[in-house]
Amino acid sequence: MSLDNASAVVPVLEARGISKTYRQGVWPFRKRNQVLDGVDLTLHRGEIIGLVGENGSGKSTLMQILVGELAADAGSIDLRGSLGYCPQGPIVFDRLTCDEHFELYGVAYELTREERVREQQRLYDDLDFKRYADTRVDRLSGGTLAKLNLALALLADPAVLLLDEPYAGFDWDTYLRFWDLVGRRREAGRSVLVISHFIADEQRFDRVVELHDGKATEKR
Ligand SMILES: Nc1ncnc2c1ncn2[C@@H]1O[C@H](COP(=O)(O)OP(=O)(O)OP(=O)(O)O)[C@@H](O)[C@H]1O
């Protein structure tokens, strides 16, 4: 087996039998909504996977479970390496600037100042938003806020990157920059799981996993 083939089969994230039921109300009016019913998902090194499914099929729920934000009712998750997460709603502080966010996240990720500044400059260039470095987050447009959200998830160069609809609000140029960036991550052996609603994106993924009736199936 060549090195490339060997690395391609190394799982970096393995989720097995993930189940989740949301419960609302109190007896006798209690409602149950089983969203995930034994979902299996494996992400290999250097693989870009699209997670698709109709509205309400459980994509965000699964991603929140994978990052540990939400507890599953059953199942196991095995993660090898670091994890980056870009949620649908950015986790930012209104009064801080973009630069200040990078500084804060750099400390949280335990990067040295040099490492953080190098990555920060690269991400400003890759996503083309350096001119907003000193702008407070509550004064950014929705698209620029989405760029910052994505950049913060990438700052520590995670082995596995989970993105919940990252390009809602991106203009065409940014959308293409996003896919360039994802392509470079694939080449570097990093893995990305992207929740997507765009049929047109499906050929950009190595594999597409569809959630339906609580189960995950491979689309092609
Ligand atoms: N905190 C919650 N409490 C109760 N029910 C919830 C909660 N979060 C999500 N749900 C329900 O779980 C189901 C799956 O929601 P989820 O957001 O995971 O779907 P999705 O596939 O990401 O949807 P979309 O494509 O619309 O973003 C929906 O029926 C939703 O109403």
Side-chain angles (χ1 to χ4, degrees), residues 60-146:
S60 296
T61 298
L62 176 61
M63 205 166 260
Q64 286 168 41
I65 290 172
L66 294 176
V67 299
E69 195 178 291
L70 191 66
D73 298 331
S76 65
I77 297 165
D78 192 2
L79 171 73
R80 298 178 195 102
S82 53
L83 185 89
Y85 174 45
C86 183
Q88 243 180 63
I91 303 172
V92 290
F93 302 90
D94 281 356
R95 287 169 176 272
L96 297 187
T97 65
C98 291
D99 266 358
E100 288 165 345
H101 275 85
F102 279 118
E103 214 176 311
L104 187 69
Y105 273 68
V107 172
Y109 288 136
E110 299 182 348
L111 302 181
T112 65
R113 189 179 182 284
E114 292 68 31
E115 285 168 340
R116 191 260 302 164
V117 169
R118 192 181 58 234
E119 285 303 303
Q120 176 179 342
Q121 294 311 324
R122 203 173 51 77
L123 289 161
Y124 273 141
D125 290 344
D126 284 352
L127 292 167
D128 190 28
F129 71 117
K130 189 168 172 43
R131 59 194 171 282
Y132 298 105
D134 296 324
T135 303
R136 263 173 52 165
V137 155
D138 59 357
R139 294 179 187 160
L140 293 177
S141 69
T144 308
L145 188 57

Side-chain angles (χ1 to χ4, degrees), residues 7 12 44-47 158-159 183-191:
S7 62
V12 284
H44 298 100
R45 189 175 182 276
E47 206 175 31
R184 288 198 296 278
R185 296 199 72 70
R186 179 196 275 125
E187 281 162 26
R190 305 287 187 258
S191 311

Side-chain angles (χ1 to χ4, degrees), residues 20-24 33-36 52-64 70 88 164-165 195-197 211:
K20 178 73 185 175
T21 298
Y22 287 111
R23 294 171 179 84
Q24 279 172 315
N33 179 9
Q34 178 154 28
V35 178
L36 305 175
V52 303
E54 61 192 31
N55 291 133
S57 56
K59 303 178 296 295
S60 296
T61 298
L62 176 61
M63 205 166 260
Q64 286 168 41
L70 191 66
Q88 243 180 63
D164 194 343
E165 294 187 60
I195 293 181
S196 171
H197 281 292
L211 283 186

